[in-house]
Structures are given as C-alpha cells and as structure tokens.
Amino acid sequence: MISVLVVEDEKITAEANRLFVERVPGFQVKGVVRSGGEALRFLRRESVDLILLDLYLPDMHGLDVCRALRAAGVLSDVIAVTSARDLSVVRSAVSVGVAQYLLKPFTFASLSEKLTRYAEFRSSVEGSGEASGQGEVDRALAALRGPAQNPLPKGMTQATLDAVLAELRKAPDGLSAQTAGAAIGVSRVTARRYLEHLTEIGVTRRVPQYGGVGRPELLYRIT
C-alpha cells in the first residue's frame, strides 16, 4: 500500500480528499493535518510515501513546507493540490521536487488518474538496479505525465464545470440545480446537465429532499 498524508486547511475539503484517496486501490491515508507546522511535526514522527499538499496553508506556504522537508532529509513525494494557477508557482513547485500538480476544484477521476500515474511511476523505479538505457528512464518519467484529460461532453466547458464543483464544495448537505445555476449565472437546465455529468463519473450522488408537497427536490452531493 502507498501511504499518504493529506495536508489541507479546509475541513470539508480535507475530508473529501481523504475519501477520494481511499477510493483508489493501493492507497491508504496515514494522516490528515490542517497546517504546514502540523505536517512537519507529523513527518518527524511518521514516514509516508506521498504527501497530498495544499499550497495555501494558514501558517506557511506549501512550497516552504517542501523546502523544510527536503532540508530535513524527508524524501516523501509530493502532489500539490491547489487553486494556485500562476505558472511561476508551478515552476517553483517543480524546483522543490513536486511530482504532480492538480488544480482545485477537481473531480475524483482527475485525482484518481494522478494517483494511478504515480503508482505506475513508483512501480517502474522500484529496486536499486540500473536502467537498461535512456528508453527505460524516459518511460519511468512519462508515467508521471500521463495523457491529457478526456474531453468533456459536447457543449460543456471546464470553466463551468469548475464553477459547479466550487459551489458543491460549499454545500456539504447538497445542492439543487436551481441553486447551482443561480450561483454561477447559468440556467437550471444547464446546471443540471453538469450535475448529472458529475454523478455519472462518480463525483456526486443524487439525494432526494423530502418535506414539501409533490415530488421531492433533487439535490446533488459530493460523494
């Protein structure tokens, strides 16, 4: 099993990340912490294979956490899970040894793909032998890159999907298509299409809301 430390300051997001990781075969969450300082203290006591690291933490930047870990000789791999889209931050992340970079908000499928690629990379470099040649080195590094994301269904955009996901994360009890549409400025029909797509790929589930007269209202909740 590949052991994982989740570092995320938002409680709901931290729990969602934990659940996502544990849904991927071969991975187990060893701990969840809410700040950079907690992460450093945890890693003085415990070792993990992989750190799922938010960059915007309340006490220090995630990249400073990476630098402190490397200075302390901690060699755990890091996947940055963050809303930071500045390419200079991406470049800095690479320079301190971040292996993968996943933008928030993301689907379970996106995180699963990153973790699966990471597992393939670990498998390809296990042991202490030498590579047979450049081709083997290239294949090992290519395992981390992976293919581009599958295109969305026709008529959908990533920006709108990201906006719907952001609203879902604010509503742990569930979100209706009407509420989602009003929040992001699209029609109820459009919002429902995105919510149904997220349900089809396993990110959300439908939750009937009873209490009124007539048919129950349908809410969507992150799984």
Side-chain angles (χ1 to χ4, degrees):
M1 296 289 284
I2 295 173
S3 57
V4 181
L5 174 65
V6 174
V7 185
E8 168 60 59
D9 65 307
E10 295 182 7
K11 183 177 180 180
I12 293 173
T13 303
E15 179 63 10
N17 290 350
R18 182 187 69 79
L19 292 172
F20 276 3
V21 170
E22 294 190 335
R23 287 173 59 186
V24 181
F27 288 82
Q28 64 176 358
V29 174
K30 200 167 182 179
V32 178
V33 297
R34 307 282 295 281
S35 70
E38 282 187 70
L40 295 174
R41 288 190 293 274
F42 180 95
L43 290 164
R44 290 191 195 106
R45 304 187 309 268
E46 307 274 353
S47 63
V48 298
D49 300 311
L50 179 66
I51 304 167
L52 211 60
L53 177 66
D54 183 22
L55 295 188
Y56 294 136
L57 298 169
D59 56 343
M60 60 195 302
H61 197 280
L63 296 184
D64 291 329
V65 174
C66 289
R67 293 184 184 101
L69 291 174
R70 298 310 182 227
V74 176
L75 300 180
S76 303
D77 294 314
V78 176
I79 295 180
V81 180
T82 179
S83 57
R85 297 169 182 264
D86 189 331
L87 290 178
S88 66
V89 175
V90 177
R91 185 169 59 250
S92 296
V94 172
S95 72
V96 296
V98 170
Q100 295 269 23
Y101 200 98
L102 183 60
L103 286 173
K104 295 179 180 178
F106 54 86
T107 64
F108 167 70
S110 297
L111 178 58
S112 177
E113 190 267 340
K114 295 290 187 188
L115 293 178
T116 300
R117 286 281 167 179
Y118 172 74
E120 291 174 359
F121 167 74
R122 278 182 62 90
S123 177
S124 69
V125 297
E126 281 182 346
S128 57
E130 292 187 354
S132 59
Q134 184 66 47
E136 186 174 351
V137 174
D138 290 344
R139 284 191 296 273
L141 294 176
L144 281 174
R145 302 186 192 111
Q149 285 189 324
N150 292 330
L152 291 170
K154 186 176 181 181
M156 290 189 182
T157 68
Q158 188 63 48
T160 303
L161 183 66
D162 289 347
V164 172
L165 275 166
E167 293 303 316
L168 281 164
R169 290 186 181 280
K170 298 175 189 175
D173 293 329
L175 192 68
S176 70
Q178 182 71 41
T179 303
I184 67 172
V186 301
S187 70
R188 178 183 61 82
V189 173
T190 297
R192 183 180 295 278
R193 186 172 178 228
Y194 281 87
L195 290 165
E196 285 294 325
H197 170 68
L198 290 170
T199 300
E200 288 171 7
I201 63 176
V203 175
T204 59
R205 61 187 176 93
R206 302 179 189 91
V207 182
Q209 183 74 20
Y210 297 94
V213 177
R215 298 176 60 185
E217 182 180 28
L218 192 62
L219 302 182
Y220 296 82
R221 184 183 298 167
I222 290 179
T223 55

